[in-house]
Amino acid sequence: MGCTSIFVIALVALALLLGGTWWLGEKLLDNYTSSESIAVQVPTPTEAEVSAATAKLSTLQQAMRDRQSITVELTAADVNTLIARAPEFEQMRGKFRVAMADSIMTLDMSVPLSSIEIPKIRHRWLNGTARFGFLFSEDAFVFNLRSLNVNGRDLSLKFLHSLDSSFNSSFNQGFEKSLRENERSREFWGNVKAMEVTADKLVITTKGADSTAPAPADDEASDEAEITPTPPTL
């Protein structure tokens, strides 16, 4: 739910950094990225699923506008339905599909690397599947990578665990940068107290009135503005 672009970019940047040499970096680029995207389709939601998912999103948005502390639980079906139908998730459509079980999120993805300012990378795609646990708290993320398959290749679990510290640091730096540059994302994440995958649900808790989240400029703007979980981009 958001931050997916930074997640992918952090993975690629770390892989190239660990390559050590430009030659090895190019080999990694060929092995783990693709010149073309793949279609990542979510199941076609029923009208009942659309109604349930949009109601949860509206409840979350209203609580943020009213500075109320609430907890909203989203299933994988809810998230995939929002990707398929909600305007706020349009940029994720055709690029991501979500599953959740045993407190682990599985993210199928086909993501353009155009945000990476390196000529040989910006026209490539990262196609694959990532499995991870995560917690957002105290305005920062902690990820626990469980598996990663990109371009049909599996990365070893030992290698992934060795990346945890560097990956979390790189991700949070990119996250902070994106918040400085994206007002809508800053407003949304400024109202989130905690977010994590628990069992088979994405659990989001808002901060409420006693938080330091930024207030709207005036009451009229508050009534009209939509606080949406726009995924921050670099």
Side-chain angles (χ1 to χ4, degrees), residues 76-202:
D78 291 329
V79 177
N80 288 327
T81 295
L82 293 173
I83 291 174
R85 298 288 290 272
E88 297 92 338
F89 289 74
E90 184 176 4
Q91 63 179 296
M92 299 177 69
R93 203 163 298 155
K95 300 174 183 176
F96 297 98
R97 180 176 55 246
V98 171
M100 290 180 279
D102 301 323
S103 300
I104 299 296
M105 176 175 285
T106 300
L107 188 67
D108 296 320
M109 56 192 169
S110 181
V111 187
L113 301 177
S114 53
S115 296
I116 298 180
E117 296 297 327
I118 299 177
K120 290 190 176 183
I121 297 180
R122 68 175 62 175
H123 301 298
R124 307 285 291 184
W125 290 73
L126 189 71
N127 302 325
T129 300
R131 295 179 64 253
F132 53 90
F134 81 91
L135 169 67
F136 175 81
S137 181
E138 304 297 332
D139 300 321
F141 284 87
V142 177
F143 285 91
N144 181 9
L145 300 173
R146 296 301 184 91
S147 69
L148 179 64
N149 178 290
V150 287
N151 212 27
R153 299 171 183 269
D154 288 315
L155 277 70
S156 74
L157 187 60
K158 182 178 180 180
F159 173 73
L160 291 176
H161 285 169
S162 72
L163 292 181
D164 277 347
S165 178
S166 297
F167 177 83
N168 284 315
S169 177
S170 177
F171 183 95
N172 283 306
Q173 288 176 11
F175 176 68
E176 291 171 2
K177 179 177 182 291
S178 75
L179 294 188
R180 292 194 298 268
E181 298 173 353
N182 189 316
E183 183 177 355
R184 291 175 66 194
S185 291
R186 184 167 62 250
E187 187 172 10
F188 173 79
W189 289 103
N191 281 282
V192 176
K193 179 179 181 180
M195 180 187 294
E196 65 179 320
V197 179
T198 301
D200 60 350
K201 294 181 176 64
L202 179 66

Side-chain angles (χ1 to χ4, degrees), residues 7-30:
F7 182 87
V8 170
I9 290 168
L11 284 174
V12 174
L14 282 173
L16 292 175
L17 177 63
L18 292 172
T21 67
W22 180 246
W23 177 84
L24 186 54
E26 286 193 334
K27 295 293 289 184
L28 287 169
L29 188 66
D30 290 339

